Amino acid sequence: MKRRVRLLLAAATGAAVLLGGAGLSATGASASAHALADDFAGDASASAYVPLEKDVDATVTLRLKNPGNVTSVTGSIEPPGKSARAVSFDFTPSTSTTTPTPTPSPATEKTVTGKWTITKDDPAGDWKLTVNVARSGSSYSTPFSVKVSGKQGISGANVTPDPVQLVKGRDTKVTVEASVKDAGTVSAKLVSDTTSEYYDLGALAQESDGYYRGVTYFTDDTTEGDWTLEVYATRGGQTLKGEASFSVVAPTGGASKKAKTRVTISAPNKVTKGRAFKVYGKVYRGAKAYKNKIVEVYFKTKGTKTYKFMGYAKATSAGKYSKTFKAKKDGYFQVKVPGTSKTRTSLSPQEFVDVR
């Protein structure tokens, strides 16, 4: 019997790479031929995590070699300290039978996906996955180790500066920082406790030190008093909310008479690497379109701390702007409306683009 274990790392989001050599145990006369061919090829991907409340489906995807003579693909997975549970695969046997080859070509491979349920009471850690492949009366078993992430959590969040001291005639930069684990996306809002005023920071950027951060500008006429930072961690359709208090101090001498500005931003969530895409939105001065206003577009690569200036975009007579980019790296876009002697500065929410 020959057995080598593949290590399969599964994160809260995204694909994980299958590492190591092929593992198998074979029975029957065809064991030696199977050892040359193996059941699976290349990489595998998985998504597995412990949910906050509702049960979630975890998945693992594999590339099955020589599917023509496979009669079934079944499996089970065992959490630490718990009994094994079934994994269902979407494999349908072929109506014809072919002879297995020692080195199958890509044309003789088929993608199969397995699915199982994870509950809020299940443990995180390494789960033992076993995939059974039946071929022409013989059965072969391949073991994997699937790392299941724990529940997402928000362990801390703050606003800098606190208190936010407003200054007459100036816009005050405000930074949000949050410590979040095992989330798919993290977003934030700054909300006044006494009025309907709020600042939407959009998707917080996860930087190289693991913290999530975002920035905005408070104008000198921002509501004074108590405010709340709201942080949202979302994964698999389930959202966890965290809150932190801070305060805003009115400017000495009162607010200026400058007009407020505001800018929206949109971009595709996912883009194929090398493809062109647009970052677009609308600029406002007060409640009306900011005609012909020139805005600044910035980009920050995922995992870094610094935004890079990417160019200008000019709004139309209707206040709409757009700028085209070529997809190169995952990262965050943000658009700035520069202030003038008559208007205030503003920043759009951060917008994340996933390049694949």
Side-chain angles (χ1 to χ4, degrees):
M1 178 180 293
K2 180 180 179 184
R3 181 180 294 272
R4 285 177 290 166
V5 178
R6 300 184 182 191
L7 178 62
L8 183 62
L9 302 177
T13 59
V17 176
L18 180 63
L19 304 174
L24 60 93
S25 60
T27 59
S30 62
S32 59
H34 181 263
L36 293 175
D38 198 52
D39 282 325
F40 302 103
D43 298 338
S45 62
S47 177
Y49 60 88
V50 180
L52 292 171
E53 291 295 336
K54 298 179 181 178
D55 296 353
V56 295
D57 287 333
T59 59
V60 59
T61 303
L62 298 151
R63 286 159 54 201
L64 178 66
K65 290 183 179 180
N66 285 345
N69 68 340
V70 175
T71 56
S72 69
V73 179
T74 59
S76 63
I77 192 163
E78 182 180 344
K82 288 194 171 187
S83 300
R85 62 195 65 173
V87 177
S88 60
F89 284 88
D90 60 354
F91 176 77
T92 301
S94 172
T95 55
S96 61
T97 301
T98 60
T99 302
T101 59
T103 55
S105 67
T108 62
E109 296 173 3
K110 182 177 183 179
T111 299
V112 293
T113 300
K115 183 183 295 186
W116 73 97
T117 300
I118 301 180
T119 74
K120 66 178 182 178
D121 298 319
D122 281 326
D126 295 330
W127 291 33
K128 297 178 181 178
L129 170 67
T130 302
V131 184
N132 305 305
V133 177
R135 299 177 186 268
S136 305
S138 298
S139 180
Y140 311 96
S141 176
T142 304
F144 298 87
S145 179
V146 177
K147 187 172 180 60
V148 176
S149 298
K151 293 181 180 180
Q152 59 183 353
I154 302 172
S155 57
N158 62 77
V159 172
T160 303
D162 182 15
V164 179
Q165 175 63 64
L166 304 179
V167 180
K168 184 175 182 178
R170 292 175 54 187
D171 302 294
T172 303
K173 186 177 180 179
V174 176
T175 301
V176 167
E177 178 182 276
S179 177
V180 183
K181 67 173 185 177
D182 295 327
T185 60
V186 178
S187 59
K189 286 184 178 181
L190 302 171
V191 183
S192 168
D193 291 357
T194 56
T195 69
S196 59
E197 187 175 14
Y198 69 92
Y199 291 84
D200 183 4
L201 279 76
L204 297 186
Q206 187 175 22
E207 298 182 353
S208 55
D209 58 4
Y211 284 90
Y212 289 84
R213 294 186 177 90
V215 298
T216 190
Y217 285 103
F218 274 25
T219 58
D220 64 359
D221 64 342
T222 297
T223 303
E224 64 178 303
D226 294 332
W227 281 65
T228 299
L229 162 62
E230 298 179 350
V231 176
Y232 300 88
T234 302
R235 182 178 63 183
Q238 298 184 25
T239 299
L240 181 65
K241 180 182 178 182
E243 295 183 344
S245 299
F246 69 102
S247 61
V248 175
V249 179
T252 302
S256 64
K257 301 299 183 180
K258 290 184 178 182
K260 278 184 177 289
T261 63
R262 181 170 65 90
V263 58
T264 65
I265 185 173
S266 294
N269 293 328
K270 298 177 182 179
V271 184
T272 302
K273 190 172 184 178
R275 295 288 298 272
F277 67 96
K278 288 185 178 182
V279 175
Y280 61 95
K282 189 171 182 178
V283 194
Y284 296 86
R285 185 179 188 275
K288 297 181 178 181
Y290 201 159
K291 299 180 181 180
N292 305 317
K293 178 62 176 177
I294 295 177
V295 298
E296 301 169 357
V297 184
Y298 293 85
F299 175 76
K300 177 165 60 175
T301 302
K302 183 179 179 181
T304 65
K305 292 186 175 183
T306 306
Y307 268 99
K308 179 182 178 181
F309 175 67
M310 300 299 290
Y312 298 100
K314 185 177 181 180
T316 65
S317 59
K320 297 180 179 181
Y321 74 89
S322 69
K323 192 169 183 64
T324 301
F325 297 93
K326 182 175 287 187
K328 295 180 179 179
K329 298 179 180 179
D330 294 350
Y332 303 82
F333 284 90
Q334 193 165 33
V335 175
K336 179 180 180 180
V337 182
T340 69
S341 60
K342 296 182 179 180
T343 60
R344 296 181 166 97
T345 301
S346 62
L347 281 174
S348 74
Q350 295 181 145
E351 185 79 5
F352 180 67
V353 176
D354 182 5
V355 177
R356 302 200 170 184

